[in-house]
Amino acid sequence: TETTPIHEFPLPTDHAREPMPLGDRNVVGVSRSGDIWEVLGESQRVRFHTAKSEFQGTPWGLPTRAPTEAEQDSVQRELGSLPPYRGIRLTFPDRAGLFSEGTIAPVGEAWLRLLDAPSDSTAYLVIDNAGNPSGTVNFPGVVTVVGFGSHEVYVLQEDEYGVTNLMAVHVTR
């Protein structure tokens, strides 16, 4: 099998570094049209790269907050037990990031998993193809969006037995 690069796009160096726990995240993805989406957590905006141009959406201006002690303690316990972090007190940002992960839908939307959802649900902020928030989608339970169909969203969800299931969910907005 051979591959031939069609378009090469150098990413800023901050995409390569490990994000600070509870800090801002960046997400990169490609829409069906071939546009490259770069969601910038710190500046709360989307940067679009097309074959002919590059432009940025306006900042969202969503409220931010400091990470709570409980969040910091939870991350410290979880990461502090892993070999690279064992015995090290982690550093946390002054301001918590808005989202923990995200994905780009083929139709040209960014789906960003919000950090401030209730513990028994998962909320995704949807960013439209102009780079503006267009709504929030709430899922019951803890899920991770992994793909999109023509009328459904595919999510992973762990059941009460610890088995991870792939589910197709119809989303009406």
Side-chain angles (χ1 to χ4, degrees):
T1 303
E2 292 184 30
T3 62
T4 305
I6 297 171
H7 178 70
E8 191 170 320
F9 170 70
L11 292 172
T13 55
D14 62 348
H15 282 282
R17 68 176 166 78
E18 181 68 24
M20 183 180 286
L22 299 175
D24 290 306
R25 301 282 194 267
N26 294 331
V27 175
V28 175
V30 180
S31 68
R32 183 179 295 131
S33 65
D35 296 343
I36 297 170
W37 285 56
E38 190 180 7
V39 180
L40 308 171
E42 184 175 1
S43 61
Q44 294 188 17
R45 68 173 62 210
V46 177
R47 187 180 307 151
F48 301 95
H49 305 271
T50 68
K52 297 179 182 172
S53 66
E54 176 182 315
F55 69 97
Q56 292 190 45
T58 56
W60 309 323
L62 299 175
T64 60
R65 61 171 181 77
T68 66
E69 276 190 49
E71 289 171 326
Q72 292 179 32
D73 290 344
S74 173
V75 170
Q76 181 67 48
R77 275 192 310 279
E78 186 178 325
L79 289 180
S81 66
L82 300 175
Y85 302 104
R86 193 169 287 139
I88 297 173
R89 181 71 189 158
L90 299 172
T91 303
F92 295 96
D94 295 333
R95 168 177 83 73
L98 289 173
F99 57 91
S100 59
E101 60 190 49
T103 189
I104 308 302
V107 295
E109 292 178 328
W111 285 56
L112 308 174
R113 184 175 176 171
L114 295 173
L115 287 171
D116 281 342
S119 61
D120 61 344
S121 67
T122 306
Y124 277 81
L125 175 65
V126 180
I127 306 298
D128 67 20
N129 61 8
N132 302 312
S134 65
T136 304
V137 177
N138 294 295
F139 295 94
V142 179
V143 304
T144 301
V145 171
V146 294
F148 302 89
S150 55
H151 300 289
E152 59 277 327
V153 176
Y154 291 93
V155 299
L156 295 177
Q157 184 173 38
E158 191 174 297
D159 66 16
E160 65 271 15
Y161 303 107
V163 176
T164 301
N165 298 292
L166 175 64
M167 301 180 348
V169 179
H170 182 74
V171 174
T172 305
R173 293 192 290 146

Short mmCIF file of all heavy atoms in Angstrom, two decimals, residues 17-25 67 71-72 74-76 79-80 85 89-97 115:
data_model
loop_
_atom_site.label_atom_id
_atom_site.label_comp_id
_atom_site.label_asym_id
_atom_site.label_seq_id
_atom_site.Cartn_x
_atom_site.Cartn_y
_atom_site.Cartn_z
N ARG A 17 2.41 18.96 22.81
CA ARG A 17 2.72 18.80 24.24
C ARG A 17 1.52 18.24 25.01
O ARG A 17 0.38 18.39 24.60
CB ARG A 17 3.16 20.12 24.84
CG ARG A 17 2.08 21.17 24.92
CD ARG A 17 2.58 22.43 25.62
NE ARG A 17 1.69 23.53 25.41
CZ ARG A 17 0.55 23.71 26.04
NH1 ARG A 17 0.13 22.86 26.93
NH2 ARG A 17 -0.21 24.76 25.78
N GLU A 18 1.81 17.59 26.10
CA GLU A 18 0.76 17.05 26.97
C GLU A 18 0.07 18.22 27.67
O GLU A 18 0.71 19.07 28.27
CB GLU A 18 1.41 16.13 28.01
CG GLU A 18 0.44 15.49 28.95
CD GLU A 18 -0.47 14.47 28.28
OE1 GLU A 18 -0.09 13.92 27.24
OE2 GLU A 18 -1.57 14.25 28.82
N PRO A 19 -1.28 18.31 27.57
CA PRO A 19 -1.96 19.43 28.22
C PRO A 19 -1.88 19.32 29.75
O PRO A 19 -1.77 18.22 30.29
CB PRO A 19 -3.39 19.30 27.75
CG PRO A 19 -3.54 17.92 27.26
CD PRO A 19 -2.18 17.43 26.87
N MET A 20 -1.90 20.44 30.41
CA MET A 20 -1.90 20.46 31.87
C MET A 20 -3.20 19.83 32.37
O MET A 20 -4.26 20.09 31.81
CB MET A 20 -1.79 21.91 32.35
CG MET A 20 -1.72 22.06 33.85
SD MET A 20 -1.59 23.80 34.37
CE MET A 20 0.10 24.15 33.93
N PRO A 21 -3.14 18.99 33.40
CA PRO A 21 -4.38 18.41 33.92
C PRO A 21 -5.40 19.50 34.26
O PRO A 21 -5.04 20.51 34.87
CB PRO A 21 -3.92 17.68 35.18
CG PRO A 21 -2.48 17.40 34.96
CD PRO A 21 -1.97 18.57 34.15
N LEU A 22 -6.63 19.29 33.84
CA LEU A 22 -7.75 20.22 34.03
C LEU A 22 -7.58 21.52 33.26
O LEU A 22 -8.35 22.45 33.42
CB LEU A 22 -7.99 20.53 35.51
CG LEU A 22 -8.34 19.34 36.40
CD1 LEU A 22 -8.41 19.78 37.85
CD2 LEU A 22 -9.64 18.72 35.97
N GLY A 23 -6.57 21.61 32.41
CA GLY A 23 -6.32 22.84 31.65
C GLY A 23 -7.00 22.82 30.29
O GLY A 23 -7.78 21.93 29.96
N ASP A 24 -6.70 23.84 29.52
CA ASP A 24 -7.30 23.98 28.19
C ASP A 24 -6.80 22.90 27.25
O ASP A 24 -5.66 22.46 27.33
CB ASP A 24 -6.97 25.35 27.61
CG ASP A 24 -7.68 26.46 28.34
OD1 ASP A 24 -8.91 26.38 28.44
OD2 ASP A 24 -7.01 27.39 28.80
N ARG A 25 -7.67 22.47 26.36
CA ARG A 25 -7.35 21.46 25.36
C ARG A 25 -7.51 22.08 23.97
O ARG A 25 -8.23 23.04 23.78
CB ARG A 25 -8.32 20.28 25.45
CG ARG A 25 -8.35 19.56 26.76
CD ARG A 25 -7.14 18.64 26.85
NE ARG A 25 -7.24 17.67 27.92
CZ ARG A 25 -6.76 17.84 29.15
NH1 ARG A 25 -6.21 18.97 29.47
NH2 ARG A 25 -6.83 16.89 30.05
N PRO A 67 -10.22 25.48 38.81
CA PRO A 67 -10.49 24.08 39.15
C PRO A 67 -10.73 23.95 40.65
O PRO A 67 -10.06 24.60 41.46
CB PRO A 67 -9.21 23.34 38.76
CG PRO A 67 -8.35 24.31 38.06
CD PRO A 67 -8.88 25.68 38.30
N GLU A 71 -11.62 18.43 42.25
CA GLU A 71 -11.13 18.06 40.92
C GLU A 71 -9.63 17.83 40.95
O GLU A 71 -9.12 16.85 40.40
CB GLU A 71 -11.48 19.13 39.89
CG GLU A 71 -12.94 19.21 39.54
CD GLU A 71 -13.26 20.41 38.68
OE1 GLU A 71 -12.62 21.48 38.84
OE2 GLU A 71 -14.16 20.29 37.84
N GLN A 72 -8.91 18.75 41.60
CA GLN A 72 -7.46 18.62 41.67
C GLN A 72 -7.06 17.36 42.44
O GLN A 72 -6.17 16.62 42.01
CB GLN A 72 -6.85 19.85 42.34
CG GLN A 72 -6.99 21.11 41.49
CD GLN A 72 -6.40 22.33 42.16
OE1 GLN A 72 -5.43 22.23 42.90
NE2 GLN A 72 -6.99 23.48 41.90
N SER A 74 -8.81 14.61 42.79
CA SER A 74 -9.17 13.44 41.98
C SER A 74 -8.11 13.17 40.92
O SER A 74 -7.67 12.03 40.73
CB SER A 74 -10.54 13.65 41.34
OG SER A 74 -10.84 12.62 40.45
N VAL A 75 -7.70 14.22 40.21
CA VAL A 75 -6.68 14.06 39.17
C VAL A 75 -5.35 13.65 39.79
O VAL A 75 -4.63 12.80 39.26
CB VAL A 75 -6.54 15.36 38.34
CG1 VAL A 75 -5.32 15.30 37.42
CG2 VAL A 75 -7.80 15.61 37.53
N GLN A 76 -5.01 14.25 40.93
CA GLN A 76 -3.76 13.90 41.60
C GLN A 76 -3.75 12.42 41.98
O GLN A 76 -2.75 11.72 41.79
CB GLN A 76 -3.55 14.77 42.85
CG GLN A 76 -2.25 14.49 43.59
CD GLN A 76 -1.02 14.89 42.81
OE1 GLN A 76 -0.95 15.99 42.27
NE2 GLN A 76 -0.04 14.01 42.73
N LEU A 79 -3.67 10.36 38.36
CA LEU A 79 -2.40 10.44 37.66
C LEU A 79 -1.21 10.14 38.57
O LEU A 79 -0.21 9.60 38.13
CB LEU A 79 -2.22 11.82 37.03
CG LEU A 79 -3.08 12.14 35.83
CD1 LEU A 79 -2.79 13.54 35.32
CD2 LEU A 79 -2.87 11.12 34.72
N GLY A 80 -1.34 10.49 39.85
CA GLY A 80 -0.24 10.28 40.79
C GLY A 80 0.09 8.82 41.02
O GLY A 80 1.16 8.49 41.54
N TYR A 85 4.22 9.93 36.95
CA TYR A 85 3.82 10.98 37.89
C TYR A 85 3.93 10.54 39.35
O TYR A 85 3.66 11.33 40.24
CB TYR A 85 2.36 11.40 37.63
CG TYR A 85 2.12 11.89 36.23
CD1 TYR A 85 1.47 11.09 35.29
CD2 TYR A 85 2.55 13.15 35.82
CE1 TYR A 85 1.25 11.54 34.00
CE2 TYR A 85 2.34 13.60 34.54
CZ TYR A 85 1.69 12.79 33.63
OH TYR A 85 1.48 13.24 32.36
N ARG A 89 3.87 16.07 42.90
CA ARG A 89 2.68 16.90 43.08
C ARG A 89 2.44 17.65 41.78
O ARG A 89 3.30 18.39 41.31
CB ARG A 89 2.87 17.86 44.25
CG ARG A 89 1.68 18.73 44.53
CD ARG A 89 0.55 17.91 45.11
NE ARG A 89 -0.66 18.73 45.17
CZ ARG A 89 -1.86 18.25 45.21
NH1 ARG A 89 -2.06 16.95 45.24
NH2 ARG A 89 -2.90 19.03 45.26
N LEU A 90 1.29 17.41 41.14
CA LEU A 90 0.98 18.02 39.86
C LEU A 90 0.69 19.51 40.01
O LEU A 90 0.24 19.97 41.05
CB LEU A 90 -0.23 17.33 39.24
CG LEU A 90 -0.06 15.85 38.94
CD1 LEU A 90 -1.40 15.25 38.50
CD2 LEU A 90 0.98 15.63 37.86
N THR A 91 0.93 20.24 38.94
CA THR A 91 0.61 21.66 38.87
C THR A 91 -0.70 21.81 38.11
O THR A 91 -0.89 21.17 37.07
CB THR A 91 1.73 22.42 38.14
OG1 THR A 91 2.96 22.19 38.81
CG2 THR A 91 1.43 23.91 38.09
N PHE A 92 -1.57 22.66 38.61
CA PHE A 92 -2.87 22.87 37.97
C PHE A 92 -2.98 24.32 37.51
O PHE A 92 -2.37 25.22 38.09
CB PHE A 92 -4.00 22.53 38.93
CG PHE A 92 -4.03 21.07 39.30
CD1 PHE A 92 -3.42 20.62 40.46
CD2 PHE A 92 -4.63 20.16 38.46
CE1 PHE A 92 -3.43 19.27 40.78
CE2 PHE A 92 -4.64 18.81 38.77
CZ PHE A 92 -4.04 18.37 39.93
N PRO A 93 -3.80 24.57 36.47
CA PRO A 93 -3.95 25.94 35.97
C PRO A 93 -4.79 26.79 36.91
O PRO A 93 -5.51 26.26 37.76
CB PRO A 93 -4.67 25.73 34.63
CG PRO A 93 -5.46 24.48 34.83
CD PRO A 93 -4.62 23.60 35.74
N ASP A 94 -4.70 28.10 36.74
CA ASP A 94 -5.54 29.03 37.52
C ASP A 94 -6.98 28.96 37.05
O ASP A 94 -7.89 29.30 37.79
CB ASP A 94 -5.04 30.46 37.36
CG ASP A 94 -3.65 30.65 37.95
OD1 ASP A 94 -3.29 29.91 38.88
OD2 ASP A 94 -2.92 31.53 37.45
N ARG A 95 -7.18 28.56 35.81
CA ARG A 95 -8.50 28.53 35.20
C ARG A 95 -8.68 27.16 34.56
O ARG A 95 -7.82 26.67 33.85
CB ARG A 95 -8.54 29.64 34.16
CG ARG A 95 -9.64 29.66 33.21
CD ARG A 95 -9.53 30.89 32.31
NE ARG A 95 -8.65 30.74 31.19
CZ ARG A 95 -8.91 30.00 30.12
NH1 ARG A 95 -10.02 29.33 30.03
NH2 ARG A 95 -8.06 29.94 29.12
N ALA A 96 -9.83 26.53 34.84
CA ALA A 96 -10.11 25.21 34.27
C ALA A 96 -10.46 25.34 32.80
O ALA A 96 -11.03 26.33 32.37
CB ALA A 96 -11.27 24.55 35.02
N GLY A 97 -10.12 24.32 32.02
CA GLY A 97 -10.51 24.29 30.61
C GLY A 97 -12.01 24.08 30.50
O GLY A 97 -12.67 23.60 31.43
N LEU A 115 -16.56 19.98 30.60
CA LEU A 115 -16.12 19.48 31.89
C LEU A 115 -17.16 19.65 32.98
O LEU A 115 -17.18 18.91 33.95
CB LEU A 115 -14.83 20.20 32.32
CG LEU A 115 -13.57 19.81 31.57
CD1 LEU A 115 -12.43 20.74 31.93
CD2 LEU A 115 -13.20 18.37 31.86
#
